[in-house]
């Protein structure tokens, strides 16, 4: 069973109080209710600053991936409240030498009850943290959440290539290229993103069906072996564009064909550096019969 938001919040407040008393660190990243907005939002506080513990809260509106916020100040020692999908992103950062394990105190959330309207939570296959120094809530038995692709339907898998192409062309035409999806994604962290590159130019300025498709397909192609299937991209999109079906498809293909899910361990090899000649070659975004 998942834990209630109230149980998790109470545990988190106790743990953060304990950490303040006994740990050396520079900055805390947690969730709390906004003083003006009244919404759940990231609370980022330096250790010396005053912290109102009662303000800390975890609810089904904790949309933001605090793992991504770690990247801005990776030289600091940071305490981070991490949903299980955040802990996978953190394990991925450590495995890629993006952030040092010694600079982190991870407060993981056990038995994650999920985030409102996030379809990724319905298919979540890791509701306990993969890395944590402290944990809030009770562990959830793995057989209650582990799923495989056989339960799920992606990419209009019953349809042919033309139907799928038409579907995604129509879907992506609503894209305004605001890049909120990229900015929200914990594993999109290149210093220089291809969308802003002018040498070479991968994407022409302006929005049109071709640019929209290029952006989404190039972003998707960067995701196999990286996407932790957290759903933050879709949640951030102001146009409600259904883009996660592409990355999800590749996530589940990697799991099905190569028994690979990113961010499960800090010493995990990347999907593409672990090749052997017996590996199947399913093709990119293809279905049987295409
Ligand atoms: S995908 Fe949803 S249920 Fe799974 S860990 Fe993230 S927030 Fe929790
Ligand atoms: S592509 Fe979307 S679902 Fe995958 S890690 Fe990034 S934000 Fe999460
Ligand atoms: S957030 Fe939505 S509108 Fe903005 S770039 Fe991503 S898909 Fe396009």
């Amino acid at each position: 069973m998942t834990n209630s938001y109230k149980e998790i919040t109470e545990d988190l407040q106790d743990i953060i109080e304990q950490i303040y008393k006994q740990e050396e660190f520079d900055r805390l990243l947690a969730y709390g209710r906004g003083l003006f907005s009244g919404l759940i939002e990231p609370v980022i506080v330096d250790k010396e600053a005053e912290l109102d513990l009662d303000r800390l809260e975890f609810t089904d509106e904790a949309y933001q991936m605090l793992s991504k916020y770690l990247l801005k100040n990776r030289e600091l020692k940071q305490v981070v409240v991490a949903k299980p999908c955040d802990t996978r992103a953190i394990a991925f950062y450590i495995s890629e030498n993006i952030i040092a394990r010694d600079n982190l105190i991870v407060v993981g959330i056990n038995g994650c009850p999920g985030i409102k309207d996030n379809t990724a939570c319905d298919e979540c296959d890791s509701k306990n943290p993969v890395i944590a120094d402290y944990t809030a809530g009770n562990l959830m038995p793995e057989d209650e959440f582990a799923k495989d692709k056989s339960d799920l339907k992606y990419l209009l898998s019953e349809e042919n290539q033309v139907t799928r192409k038409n579907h995604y062309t129509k879907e992506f035409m609503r894209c305004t290229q605001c890049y909120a999806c990229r900015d929200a994604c914990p594993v999109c962290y290149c210093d220089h993103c291809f969308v802003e590159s002018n040498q070479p130019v991968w994407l022409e300025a302006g929005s049109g069906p071709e640019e929209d498709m290029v952006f989404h397909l190039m972003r998707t192609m960067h995701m196999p072996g990286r996407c932790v299937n957290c759903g933050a991209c879709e949640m951030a999109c102001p146009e409600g564009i259904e883009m996660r079906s592409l990355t999800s498809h590749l996530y589940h293909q990697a799991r099905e064909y190569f028994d690979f899910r990113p961010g499960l361990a800090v010493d995990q090899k990347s999907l593409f550096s672990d090749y052997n000649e017996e590996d199947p070659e399913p093709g990119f975004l293809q279905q049987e019969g295409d």
Side-chain angles (χ1 to χ4, degrees), residues 11-12 16 24 74 82 87 127 184 221 246 260 280 282:
D11 277 4
L12 284 174
I16 302 293
E24 290 292 322
R74 55 190 100 167
T87 66
K127 285 181 184 258
M221 286 170 70
L246 293 170
F260 184 90

Side-chain angles (χ1 to χ4, degrees), residues 218-233:
M218 284 190 72
R219 182 175 171 277
T220 301
M221 286 170 70
H222 283 125
M223 285 301 156
R226 307 171 62 85
C227 170
V228 295
N229 214 13
C230 65
C233 47

Side-chain angles (χ1 to χ4, degrees), residues 185-202:
C185 173
V187 296
C188 249
Y189 55 73
C190 295
D191 289 335
H192 191 63
C193 178
F194 76 90
V195 301
E196 278 129 15
S197 167
N198 56 11
Q199 230 177 9
V201 175
W202 294 102

